[in-house]
Amino acid sequence: GENVEQHPSTLSVQEGDSAVIKCTYSDSASNYFPWYKQELGKRPQLIIDIRSNVGEKKDQRIAVTLNKTAKHFSLHITETQPEDSAVYFCAASANTPLVFGKGTRLSVIA
Amino acid sequence: GAVVSQHPSWVICKSGTSVKIECRSLDFQATTMFWYRQFPKQSLMLMATSNEGSKATYEQGVEKDKFLINHASLTLSTLTVTSAHPEDSSFYICSAIRLALSTDTQYFGPGTRLTVL
């Protein structure tokens, strides 16, 4: 089955700097790669997703890139703000339930 | 659109009792619902996949006789934790996929925090 690795597990950045979180997956059949943001005690919120027919997608300060050959995808947050502090999860699926990475705790220091 | 609710949001129970958690898709029909468990500071772990009108598919290591799942309609799935023990204390989250859309987007419920004393 699918296995998703996520790095780093924790990340601290200064406000205004960029943050990058990377994930790798094992199943070459995976074709959907969402990113979720989860605040303490709350549900995961979808922030951006990408499908295998696209290499990059951007939504304001958030972008995701996908390299299908290398089987990795990354989340990029620019101009970080304190409210970006949360746990971020990547996930992958191939018409099956999502398999999540272990999460990255992002802290944006004002 | 695409709102998923869960009830209750939190529950405290004594060891040995059973607890039922409901997951509802409020404004769409869900072909499939998923149940996840999340321990503190850990990721979401899939417990089972629930399809309307059929038996749930459980992930390896999840006891189907302990975690009973019923998906009676296209808008409701229930998870019953039977004979709960302290080690079952966790955050249980459901998610749903919309019917008739060829998408993998999962919409999550707000979660249920279970504490077993």
Side-chain angles (χ1 to χ4, degrees):
Chain A
E2 176 66 278
N3 181 51
V4 178
E5 299 284 340
Q6 183 172 347
H7 299 280
S9 56
T10 60
L11 178 60
S12 292
V13 299
Q14 292 289 333
E15 181 178 1
D17 287 350
S18 295
V20 180
I21 303 171
K22 299 182 179 181
C23 288
T24 59
Y25 61 99
S26 61
D27 188 349
S28 57
S30 287
N31 55 14
Y32 177 61
F33 309 92
W35 286 88
Y36 287 87
K37 174 183 180 183
Q38 188 180 29
E39 297 177 354
L40 189 63
K42 297 189 177 180
R43 79 183 86 193
Q45 296 276 8
L46 178 69
I47 56 172
I48 195 167
D49 57 10
I50 192 168
R51 299 186 186 276
S52 59
N53 58 345
V54 176
E56 183 173 357
K57 184 176 178 181
K58 189 173 182 180
D59 182 4
Q60 299 183 335
R61 298 186 296 109
I62 297 173
V64 57
T65 58
L66 171 64
N67 183 327
K68 285 219 73 182
T69 303
K71 295 207 282 279
H72 66 69
F73 56 112
S74 301
L75 177 71
H76 303 251
I77 305 174
T78 59
E79 300 172 28
T80 54
Q81 301 166 3
E83 50 266 36
D84 294 330
S85 297
V87 179
Y88 291 80
F89 293 99
C90 64
S93 82
N95 299 318
T96 56
L98 290 172
V99 176
F100 286 86
K102 292 189 184 302
T104 296
R105 184 172 299 278
L106 174 64
S107 299
V108 180
I109 303 164
Chain B
V3 177
V4 177
S5 71
Q6 272 183 250
H7 178 82
S9 56
W10 60 269
V11 57
I12 301 172
C13 69
K14 292 182 179 180
S15 186
T17 60
S18 294
V19 174
K20 180 184 282 189
I21 302 170
E22 293 185 348
C23 177
R24 292 181 186 273
S25 54
L26 298 185
D27 53 359
F28 66 99
Q29 291 182 317
T31 51
T32 304
M33 291 183 172
F34 304 98
W35 287 95
Y36 292 86
R37 181 167 51 183
Q38 186 177 34
F39 292 108
K41 296 186 179 181
Q42 293 189 22
S43 188
L44 291 88
M45 298 301 296
L46 180 67
M47 299 175 66
T49 300
S50 171
N51 293 297
E52 185 266 338
S54 63
K55 291 184 178 180
T57 303
Y58 291 81
E59 295 299 300
Q60 192 172 8
V62 178
E63 299 174 58
K64 57 179 149 184
D65 294 331
K66 180 171 181 62
F67 298 99
L68 302 178
I69 292 172
N70 184 287
H71 196 151
S73 75
L74 284 171
T75 60
L76 173 64
S77 177
T78 61
L79 167 69
T80 301
V81 184
T82 62
S83 187
H85 288 94
E87 58 265 30
D88 298 323
S89 299
S90 188
F91 193 49
Y92 292 86
I93 308 178
C94 70
S95 69
I97 291 179
R98 279 192 282 197
L99 178 68
L101 281 183
S102 57
T103 175
D104 296 313
T105 301
Q106 290 187 25
Y107 300 92
F108 284 88
T112 297
R113 186 162 301 283
L114 171 63
T115 302
V116 185
L117 302 177

